[in-house]
Amino acid sequence: MASLLHNFWATPRFGLSPDYKPQCIARIACLASRDSTFLSSDSVIVNGVSSIEEKEKSSPIVDVKNGHLAPAIKEKNKEDIQNKLETLWDDGYGTQTVKDYLEIGSEIVKPDGGPPRWFTPISAGPPLENSPLLLFLPGMDGTGMGLVLHEKALGKVFQVWCLHIPVYDRTPFDELVKFVGRTVRMKHASSPNKPIYLVGDSFGGCLALAVAAHNPEIDLVLILANPATSFDRTQLQPLLPLLKSLPDEFHVTVPYLLSFIMGDPLKMAMVNIDSMLPPGQIIQRLSGNLTDLLAHLYGLADIIPKETLLWKLKLLRSASSYSNSRLHAVNAEVLVIASGKDNMLPSENEAQRLKNSLRNCTVRYFKDNGHTILLENGVNLLSIIKATSKYRCSKRHDYVMDFLPPSKSEFKNTTKDNSWFFNFTGPVMLSTMENGKIVRGLAGVPREGPVLLVGYHMLMGLEIVPLVHEYLTQTKILLRGIAHPTLFTQLVESRPNATSFVDMLKLYGATPVTASNFFKLLATKSHVLLYPGGAREALHRKGEEYKVIWPDRQEFIRMAAKFGATIVPFGVVGEDDIAQLVLDYDDLKSIPILGDQIRSENEEAARSGFTVRGDMDGEIANQMLYIPGLLPKIPGRFYFLFGKPIHTKGRQDLVKDREKARELYLQVKSEVQNNMNYLLKKREEDPYRNVIDRTVYRAFSATSDDVPTFDF
């Protein structure tokens, strides 16, 4: 068939201002015909792939002079590519809002006669070296701009391609499946050892599942945000016939109706507002954002005109039926993000159905969000991916090498969410200098890694949150905790919510306890948090408060010496200041129903291979997991004392001589106990041990929030 060569101009970022001036223009030559071809290139900001009508094949990119396409923009310089992210890096969350989505979306929907295609937002990149590919599959709008809130963060760790379906395109669903499938196979062929991520929003969720069903041999990770697989049960079914009969002149009112049905305007307007601001400023900014947002809603009528809306609804019905009939063929790893206030689809129930229907499916619920969850405040897509351990750059997830440190916005949010706990516990951090002097703060803890912090595990691990937070605040260094492997399994996910404590641990670098992970952490010069007492110490019995319960083996000394790590023993007290243990394991196991349930759950964990120290003798081998009965008290205070650093650099004798390693092991254990004995005695002299006294001090102290403590 004859073809006509013409020029296609594309705005890669689609960055608009009220005066709309493209920030960067890419000139791309393409073949215009029914069998036209948009060839793919990582180096082109707006990436083309085979059109829907094109037969499945791959075409080389060569010089334009030879009649084919060539990259219009040079590849990023190697020096622009980062090797790692620093702790508290800027993820850009809140710098772009729904207003940007509406402005950009209204501009790019202008008819261009082209087929569906891929583009990369200019703010998404350059990513880390060896980053996996992420393909965003849009919802009903088809613009591909649904990641506008997340593209800066995602672009740091993914190669982001977004699918744009022109507003007047009428490609049927099965052809869209083939189109995305060709891209997946092409990218898999070039990087067979990397996973490919498909992020499907609503309709895009159906598309992602269908593509995964057709490509079971490819390593895919699906992130589904309120997938439209439940469209046959939508609450809008009675309204669909009315949309067909609605006169064209009234269609401008539909976007306003859809905006309230599909999303929460308040959450959309809160995206770039700091929740730590005074209430008056929050209300003022929220009012301005809402006014601005409503003023731009008319643009939805251009993004989804009436005839397109009717086509999309027909497409949704087809997509839902198509993908549901093929769920059995999906081998991909799946994460479903479900809203509790989705007024368009029964997303909460659908998430549970998909979890039961798919082989490897994880669910996270956001009870206060609406259908357009990716455009609403309080939902950071990259944070969810990280907290559910879904980010990886190879076939298997590596908790050390694939770890992404917390960003500024993540740290800010967790600080806000846990501020009540910090206020209640008022943590006091003390450390010991090389000359033996005790000082306030962490000046005595070495900054150069590897550093191994070895200490006492308080009841339920209550000390972990303030410890990691204060360590990061004061040193700008993240503590990588070694945790029980059960925390990283489906056994702890009965009904996981968005703010799960276990997810927060993983977000801040918690790693399953294995020799391999311990080795990698020390090899990468990390600051590692180790509790030799493990679950037995954290779930101690009555009368065992502040008793160090460690195994006889020197599990960590020889490994630390191998890498020349600095060991810092620490003690912590205060669990008895905030809660009283009323039901321990011995009490619970004697209660018929509860005892049977605890034994059953631990037996299931053992069958799954998640036992720790099962080969040991004595009390430390009793690693039964359960939730003890606690009686809250008027909060007292947490006290941490980090002992004098113990240097193992150059001590290769510790690696070879087990007796010397045992001597150092007993020394560390003794210092942990001595640190706690010191704190138990000195806290009696603290005038601000009680939360009420600390609250009064903060109310009247205009100079500092650093509440004083005892003299040392």
Side-chain angles (χ1 to χ4, degrees):
M1 184 178 292
S3 300
L4 176 66
L5 186 67
H6 77 292
N7 292 328
F8 173 71
W9 292 83
T11 57
R13 171 60 185 87
F14 302 122
L16 304 179
S17 65
D19 302 326
Y20 179 59
K21 293 181 179 179
Q23 297 177 0
C24 181
I25 298 295
R27 186 171 183 263
I28 304 175
C30 67
L31 297 176
S33 74
R34 179 173 176 79
D35 295 309
S36 63
T37 304
F38 282 8
L39 299 180
S40 176
S41 170
D42 288 342
S43 62
V44 180
I45 297 298
V46 178
N47 300 285
V49 297
S50 303
S51 67
I52 301 303
E53 298 87 356
E54 182 76 358
K55 294 181 179 180
E56 189 170 333
K57 62 181 180 179
S58 61
S59 302
I61 299 178
V62 296
D63 197 292
V64 161
K65 296 178 182 178
N66 295 329
H68 295 79
L69 296 181
I73 297 178
K74 294 183 179 179
E75 188 175 355
K76 294 285 185 181
N77 294 327
K78 291 295 183 182
E79 53 267 25
D80 293 335
I81 306 298
Q82 302 180 70
N83 291 319
K84 67 176 183 177
L85 293 175
E86 299 297 329
T87 301
L88 303 183
W89 56 284
D90 185 4
D91 63 5
Y93 188 81
T95 58
Q96 295 181 170
T97 66
V98 180
K99 177 185 174 184
D100 296 287
Y101 163 79
L102 292 172
E103 287 182 342
I104 299 167
S106 297
E107 185 66 29
I108 66 174
V109 295
K110 293 179 179 179
D112 56 30
R117 80 239 23 200
W118 301 103
F119 71 89
T120 294
I122 205 170
S123 61
L128 294 176
E129 189 175 6
N130 200 40
S131 293
L133 175 69
L134 184 149
L135 302 178
F136 175 64
L137 310 178
M140 271 180 51
D141 62 300
T143 62
M145 295 304 304
L147 290 182
V148 67
L149 272 62
H150 314 276
E151 60 191 28
K152 289 185 177 181
L154 293 174
K156 292 286 187 180
V157 295
F158 290 104
Q159 301 174 47
V160 179
W161 288 17
C162 301
L163 178 62
H164 173 63
I165 304 174
V167 66
Y168 292 109
D169 181 82
R170 296 296 180 262
T171 302
F173 183 73
D174 60 336
E175 292 297 324
L176 287 173
V177 173
K178 294 177 184 177
F179 171 68
V180 177
R182 282 193 288 269
T183 303
V184 166
R185 288 188 291 274
M186 177 189 69
K187 296 302 293 182
H188 173 70
S190 63
S191 301
N193 295 321
K194 285 186 186 179
I196 296 176
Y197 285 72
L198 302 182
V199 176
D201 182 17
S202 187
F203 165 76
C206 295
L207 185 53
L209 285 167
V211 171
H214 281 284
N215 297 276
E217 74 287 353
I218 295 179
D219 184 9
L220 298 175
V221 181
L222 310 187
I223 315 293
L224 311 179
N226 294 325
T229 45
S230 61
F231 184 72
D232 59 333
R233 288 172 280 128
T234 178
Q235 303 170 44
L236 300 181
Q237 290 287 1
L239 296 178
L240 299 183
L242 296 177
L243 292 175
K244 296 180 180 180
S245 58
L246 187 71
D248 291 344
E249 57 268 23
F250 290 108
H251 181 70
V252 292
T253 63
V254 172
Y256 294 92
L257 173 64
L258 288 178
S259 66
F260 287 95
I261 291 175
M262 297 179 68
D264 186 338
L266 287 176
K267 285 191 173 293
M268 292 180 180
M270 278 291 295
V271 168
N272 62 346
I273 299 177
D274 186 352
S275 59
M276 303 298 287
L277 289 173
Q281 293 186 32
I282 291 178
I283 293 174
Q284 182 180 6
R285 295 190 182 188
L286 179 61
S287 176
N289 284 359
L290 277 173
T291 302
D292 207 15
L293 179 62
L294 293 173
H296 283 83
L297 278 179
Y298 72 89
L300 278 176
D302 296 325
I303 295 174
I304 312 179
K306 179 181 177 181
E307 58 272 29
T308 297
L309 176 60
L310 296 176
W311 165 254
K312 295 285 187 180
L313 293 173
K314 180 180 177 181
L315 198 62
L316 270 175
R317 185 175 285 108
S318 172
S320 176
S321 175
Y322 189 103
S323 56
N324 276 314
S325 67
R326 291 163 174 79
L327 291 181
H328 64 279
V330 176
N331 288 331
E333 190 176 355
V334 181
L335 169 62
V336 179
I337 302 170
S339 296
K341 292 184 179 179
D342 189 340
N343 295 321
M344 182 174 177
L345 298 171
S347 293
E348 197 169 5
N349 293 334
E350 180 65 5
Q352 189 59 45
R353 185 185 76 89
L354 290 174
K355 181 176 176 64
N356 296 333
S357 302
L358 297 169
R359 294 183 180 87
N360 184 8
C361 182
T362 302
V363 175
R364 288 296 178 269
Y365 296 96
F366 290 77
K367 63 178 182 177
D368 297 322
N369 289 87
H371 184 69
T372 52
I373 188 170
L374 296 182
L375 293 175
E376 297 180 11
N377 185 51
V379 180
N380 187 321
L381 183 57
L382 181 58
S383 298
I384 301 170
I385 294 173
K386 291 163 56 180
T388 52
S389 302
K390 296 300 181 186
Y391 183 79
R392 54 188 172 90
C393 296
S394 56
K395 292 183 178 180
R396 289 189 177 183
H397 177 75
D398 188 316
Y399 284 95
V400 178
M401 307 312 294
D402 288 330
F403 176 69
L404 301 173
S407 66
K408 289 180 182 178
S409 70
E410 290 168 343
F411 181 66
K412 185 176 181 180
N413 288 334
T414 51
T415 299
K416 179 191 69 174
D417 293 341
N418 293 282
S419 59
W420 64 273
F421 191 63
F422 301 144
N423 290 332
F424 277 7
T425 59
V428 175
M429 296 284 169
L430 306 175
S431 62
T432 308
M433 306 298 289
E434 292 284 356
N435 60 7
K437 181 181 179 181
I438 296 176
V439 297
R440 182 81 182 262
L442 298 176
V445 179
R447 298 298 190 264
E448 184 179 352
V451 174
L452 183 60
L453 275 68
V454 185
Y456 171 74
H457 217 359
M458 281 208 306
L459 186 65
M460 296 289 290
L462 294 171
E463 81 288 350
I464 292 178
V465 174
L467 172 56
V468 174
H469 179 271
E470 286 297 316
Y471 202 89
L472 182 54
T473 300
Q474 295 189 33
T475 68
K476 306 306 178 187
I477 298 172
L478 180 66
L479 266 180
R480 299 295 306 276
I482 304 250
H484 198 286
T486 304
L487 298 177
F488 302 85
T489 70
Q490 295 288 336
L491 298 176
V492 298
E493 293 191 5
S494 55
R495 183 176 174 79
N497 293 315
T499 54
S500 153
F501 176 71
V502 174
D503 278 4
M504 184 178 69
L505 292 180
K506 290 186 282 188
L507 187 66
Y508 278 79
T511 305
V513 54
T514 66
S516 174
N517 287 337
F518 192 27
F519 182 96
K520 292 176 185 176
L521 287 172
L522 293 178
T524 53
K525 297 186 177 182
S526 302
H527 286 231
V528 184
L529 177 61
L530 178 67
Y531 295 106
R536 178 60 184 86
E537 198 170 73
L539 297 173
H540 55 247
R541 317 297 189 248
K542 294 176 184 176
E544 293 181 341
E545 295 86 356
Y546 309 124
K547 177 183 177 182
V548 177
I549 307 173
W550 287 11
D552 292 332
R553 301 180 190 175
Q554 57 274 20
E555 297 176 306
F556 58 87
I557 296 293
R558 296 170 68 203
M559 185 78 80
K562 181 178 179 62
F563 291 96
T566 302
I567 300 174
V568 181
F570 73 92
V572 53
V573 302
E575 66 176 67
D576 58 329
D577 264 358
I578 65 171
Q580 179 180 347
L581 178 60
V582 294
L583 291 173
D584 63 10
Y585 175 69
D586 295 330
D587 297 321
L588 293 172
K589 73 177 182 180
S590 63
I591 301 175
I593 297 178
L594 289 178
D596 292 342
Q597 182 179 353
I598 291 172
R599 281 188 288 271
S600 174
E601 290 175 349
N602 280 272
E603 288 172 1
E604 182 180 353
R607 287 193 299 270
S608 303
F610 300 116
T611 56
V612 178
R613 292 169 173 161
D615 60 338
M616 292 188 179
D617 299 323
E619 192 58 33
I620 193 64
N622 185 5
Q623 296 274 326
M624 298 293 284
L625 301 178
Y626 66 98
I627 299 178
L630 301 176
L631 184 64
K633 294 181 178 180
I634 296 177
R637 201 169 194 182
F638 281 0
Y639 302 86
F640 296 80
L641 174 56
F642 297 87
K644 184 178 177 179
I646 300 173
H647 302 282
T648 67
K649 190 173 183 180
R651 295 286 310 274
Q652 291 303 308
D653 57 317
L654 294 172
V655 180
K656 300 176 182 179
D657 192 328
R658 291 182 178 273
E659 187 56 36
K660 287 187 178 181
R662 177 175 173 77
E663 290 176 4
L664 183 56
Y665 176 80
L666 293 176
Q667 177 189 340
V668 173
K669 181 179 179 181
S670 176
E671 290 198 22
V672 170
Q673 187 69 68
N674 291 338
N675 287 342
M676 287 193 293
N677 293 339
Y678 173 87
L679 293 172
L680 288 170
K681 179 181 178 180
K682 295 295 291 185
R683 71 175 178 176
E684 301 293 337
E685 304 172 11
D686 186 358
Y688 299 102
R689 179 177 171 183
N690 189 281
V691 67
I692 297 175
D693 296 324
R694 294 197 302 275
T695 303
V696 172
Y697 178 88
R698 290 192 187 97
F700 291 96
S701 174
T703 57
S704 174
D705 287 334
D706 191 11
V707 181
T709 185
F710 54 77
D711 294 328
F712 40 84

